[in-house]
Amino acid sequence: MSPTILRVGAYRFYFFSREEPRAHVHVHSPEGEAKFWLDPEIALAVSHGLSDKAVNEARNVAVENQEVFRDAWKRHFGG
């Protein structure tokens, strides 16, 4: 299960259920995908196929919505 948390433009932000315990969010676009850690701050974990520009755009969306992602993580996984 991978619930969608947010869609912004071509980016879909979502979680994989029970992937790993550290809080993170995945982002997918037609260009590729990435994973960002949520704590202690938004940081790129991995990226596949995304240009540097797209990674930066996705990171900016993640920074702007970090509380939305953290709250969704807590609701979905508990804690």
Side-chain angles (χ1 to χ4, degrees):
M1 184 169 142
S2 55
T4 297
I5 309 307
L6 180 70
R7 288 184 188 270
V8 174
Y11 301 111
R12 173 184 171 241
F13 292 84
Y14 60 97
F15 300 136
F16 283 122
S17 292
R18 308 291 178 218
E19 178 188 15
E20 63 181 279
R22 185 174 175 189
H24 64 279
V25 66
H26 292 266
V27 59
H28 181 269
S29 79
E31 186 180 333
E33 55 190 68
K35 175 177 167 180
F36 291 94
W37 300 119
L38 298 179
D39 291 313
E41 61 186 33
I42 303 297
L44 180 66
V46 66
S47 173
H48 300 285
L50 291 178
S51 65
D52 290 343
K53 179 183 177 190
V55 169
N56 287 331
E57 288 174 350
R59 184 186 180 284
N60 288 340
V61 172
V63 168
E64 291 170 5
N65 292 280
Q66 59 188 310
E67 290 307 314
V68 170
F69 296 145
R70 288 182 181 124
D71 290 345
W73 181 273
K74 289 175 186 173
R75 280 192 313 274
H76 188 73
F77 296 105

